[in-house]
């Protein structure tokens, strides 16, 4: 079993839709949770960071962590064509980082 | 300021050849990471440097893989006797210091390696 599971998609939505991206994990020691965005032929860039359980909002992006269910989510409101990218979740117990496989998202104008 | 740079951006090599991939981290970042990204596999951790030392080499897939870092800055990942399964994008990331999971990693654009 992988440490982090993420549906690879691809996911295709119309502009303006709400997007929900999710990851599950098995290691209860994970305390730090991140979402990265990766455009084609580029390196990943940090989008959201959350420590432990709870919600965090930044503009159109909301990250949620449910440690009891070992489940994290990223919501994108009013999605834009510029949001088209691969989204990777990542998590850490405090030393090493574990990444999901990434979900490919396309926002259609 | 300048971000993490990697060279070459693309490398095509023949099976059995050795390759060297280079990473220039952000100035002042003491922690440096190498990852491998294959289609459908996500990011696979290879090795981590703190300064010039590599306390965590647990991700290197075989003894054909090695890495070094000199002067606390530039790092080179070397793959000897390349195999077709080594084909992937090799990503480098750096961070200020690996003190905890709060340390933000900044990624380079990657080197796309193709082994024929």
């Amino acid at each position: 079993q992988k440490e982090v599971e993420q549906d690879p998609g691809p996911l295709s939505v119309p502009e303006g839709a709400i997007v929900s991206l999710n990851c599950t994990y098995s290691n209860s020691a994970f305390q730090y949770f991140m979402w990265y965005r990766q455009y084609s032929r580029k390196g990943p860039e940090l989008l959201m960071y959350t420590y432990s359980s709870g919600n965090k909002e930044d503009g159109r992006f909301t990250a949620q962590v449910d440690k009891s269910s070992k489940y994290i989510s990223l919501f994108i409101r009013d999605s834009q064509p510029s949001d088209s990218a691969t989204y990777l979740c990542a998590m850490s117990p405090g030393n090493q980082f574990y990444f999901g496989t990434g979900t490919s998202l396309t926002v259609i104008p | 300021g300048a971000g993490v740079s990697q060279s070459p951006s693309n490398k095509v090599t023949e099976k059995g050849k050795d390759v060297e991939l280079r990473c220039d981290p952000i100035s002042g970042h003491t922690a440096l990471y190498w990852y491998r990204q294959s289609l459908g596999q996500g990011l696979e951790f290879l090795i981590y440097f703190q300064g010039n030392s590599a306390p965590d080499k647990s991700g290197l897939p075989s003894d054909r893989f090695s890495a070094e870092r000199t002067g606390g800055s530039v790092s080179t990942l070397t793959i000897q006797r390349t195999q077709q399964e080594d084909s992937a994008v090799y990503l480098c990331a750096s961070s200020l210091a690996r003190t905890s999971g709060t340390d933000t990693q900044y990624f380079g654009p990657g080197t796309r390696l193709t082994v024929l």
Side-chain angles (χ1 to χ4, degrees):
Chain A
Q1 183 185 8
K2 288 183 181 178
E3 296 270 8
V4 180
E5 299 279 356
Q6 183 175 11
D7 186 340
L11 191 59
S12 183
V13 301
E15 183 174 354
I18 296 175
V19 176
S20 172
L21 305 168
N22 312 293
C23 288
T24 59
Y25 62 96
S26 55
N27 189 342
S28 58
F30 288 151
Q31 295 198 65
Y32 305 93
F33 303 91
M34 292 139 280
W35 286 95
Y36 285 81
R37 179 175 59 196
Q38 186 175 22
Y39 291 114
S40 181
R41 302 278 175 163
K42 302 286 188 185
E45 57 177 333
L46 183 65
L47 198 59
M48 297 285 284
Y49 162 82
T50 310
Y51 171 68
S52 195
S53 284
N55 292 1
K56 185 172 184 178
E57 190 173 317
D58 184 2
R60 296 184 295 109
F61 299 88
T62 300
Q64 284 187 353
V65 175
D66 182 348
K67 291 189 73 179
S68 62
S69 302
K70 296 189 178 66
Y71 187 89
I72 70 170
S73 301
L74 177 71
F75 297 95
I76 307 174
R77 291 183 299 280
D78 186 26
S79 55
Q80 302 295 308
S82 58
D83 295 330
S84 299
T86 296
Y87 290 80
L88 299 105
C89 62
M91 39 201 86
S92 172
N95 47 17
Q96 194 171 120
F97 293 83
Y98 298 84
F99 286 81
T101 54
T103 299
S104 174
L105 171 67
T106 301
V107 180
I108 303 167
Chain B
V4 178
S5 61
Q6 292 186 246
S7 60
S9 55
N10 283 284
K11 177 72 176 178
V12 179
T13 190
E14 293 179 348
K15 179 181 171 181
K17 301 279 191 184
D18 298 351
V19 294
E20 280 191 357
L21 312 179
R22 176 187 166 107
C23 173
D24 264 289
I26 294 172
S27 177
H29 280 194
T30 62
L32 186 147
Y33 307 78
W34 282 99
Y35 294 89
R36 180 167 69 176
Q37 187 174 33
S38 305
L39 197 62
Q41 298 298 314
L43 264 68
E44 176 189 1
F45 169 78
L46 297 178
I47 188 170
Y48 150 69
F49 286 92
Q50 183 64 44
N52 289 338
S53 64
D56 190 347
K57 305 180 183 179
S58 62
L60 293 177
S62 76
D63 59 7
R64 295 187 295 105
F65 288 72
S66 63
E68 65 175 16
R69 188 179 186 195
T70 55
S73 181
V74 171
S75 176
T76 303
L77 177 69
T78 301
I79 309 173
Q80 295 178 309
R81 304 181 303 281
T82 51
Q83 304 294 312
Q84 288 182 330
E85 61 262 27
D86 299 333
S87 297
V89 176
Y90 289 81
L91 288 160
C92 173
S94 71
S95 64
L96 272 173
R98 193 193 199 188
T99 54
S100 74
T102 61
D103 205 23
T104 300
Q105 295 183 59
Y106 295 85
F107 283 84
T111 293
R112 185 172 298 271
L113 175 66
T114 303
V115 182
L116 301 176

